[in-house]
Amino acid sequence: MMHTRFSKVLFIVLLFGSSLISYAQETPKRNDRPQESASPAPPQRREDKKPPDATKYSYEFAQKEFVVNHIVIAHDALGRGNITFERKGEATPIVEPIELSASALGRIFGLWAELRFLDSTENYQSSKDFAHLGTYKIGMDDGKRHRTAEFNWSDSKTAWALANEYRRVSDQAILIFDIKLAREMQPLNTPSLLNEMDSYLKRDGLSDPQQLVSLLNELKTDEHIPLIARNHADRILKKIEK
């Protein structure tokens, strides 16, 4: 009897142990270390890039009796563009790339802003008429609005100052073109052109003399032009660099 009871107990123990082993094999092992949940990547900040300023600016001068009788300057918000000019007796206009210096651009944009040009309807023409001295046109186009104003003399100091700034830009650009052409085609003309440059500098008639430094450095050592021109280029360079 006792043997039978012992056999039953042993059978139950063995059965229970077998069940535990089976359960341990079937149950996946748990990692005691808590798993770090993958944190979502921080959203990338979108940089709102300001679109480039597409505003276009223009200046025009015309007087058919002048040697340089028609000038047009067109540039963008960075001061880059073209100058087109015509000479009396020449059929083909000359087109040259142009880039206003930072200082010139600062003065010019300051005057445009002071005029509040696109918001204004002001007529800049003075009651006095000086058409024999030439007619000026200034224009602006921001892609939505376009305006051009024309005058040959103005009581608006700002409008007149703006026209003068562009005139200085055109005088400098045309002078540089003439000097480069003379170096290649007519070296004997360089002394008179450097005299002209010196005259402009004395009356503050150029947009930014610093833009002449590279050219003058070339001229002062250019043996294709007369010595008097080389020496003059060196003297002008020293004036600018003071």
Side-chain angles (χ1 to χ4, degrees), residues 50-169:
K50 189 177 179 181
D53 188 343
T55 307
K56 305 294 182 183
Y57 303 85
S58 63
Y59 160 86
E60 184 175 356
F61 172 80
Q63 214 304 353
K64 63 181 181 179
E65 299 303 325
F66 284 9
V67 174
V68 180
N69 53 39
H70 189 209
I71 302 168
V72 176
I73 295 173
H75 67 88
D76 60 15
L78 297 176
R80 297 169 184 163
N82 292 305
I83 179 170
T84 304
F85 59 96
E86 300 173 49
R87 285 195 164 100
K88 190 175 182 179
E90 296 181 3
T92 306
I94 298 165
V95 182
E96 285 286 295
I98 197 170
E99 183 168 356
L100 280 65
S101 71
S103 58
L105 207 56
R107 294 192 303 269
I108 286 171
F109 280 172
L111 293 167
W112 279 115
E114 194 174 332
L115 286 175
R116 299 179 62 85
F117 190 73
L118 290 177
D119 297 322
S120 173
T121 57
E122 184 179 352
N123 178 8
Y124 305 117
Q125 175 61 46
S126 167
S127 57
K128 300 175 182 178
D129 193 312
F130 291 93
H132 64 287
L133 297 177
T135 301
Y136 302 88
K137 290 182 184 179
I138 53 175
M140 184 188 295
D141 186 343
D142 68 356
K144 297 177 182 177
R145 296 175 295 171
H146 173 75
R147 182 184 174 218
T148 302
E150 180 177 332
F151 52 91
N152 56 57
W153 194 265
S154 181
D155 293 327
S156 166
K157 291 182 179 179
T158 306
W160 194 244
L162 182 61
N164 282 333
E165 284 292 344
Y166 277 117
R167 182 166 55 202
R168 292 164 76 200
V169 171

Side-chain angles (χ1 to χ4, degrees), residues 96 175-185 193 215:
E96 285 286 295
L175 179 61
I176 289 172
F177 172 82
D178 287 342
I179 291 174
K180 288 181 177 179
L181 184 64
R183 285 179 72 188
E184 294 179 11
M185 309 294 293
L193 288 169
L215 175 61

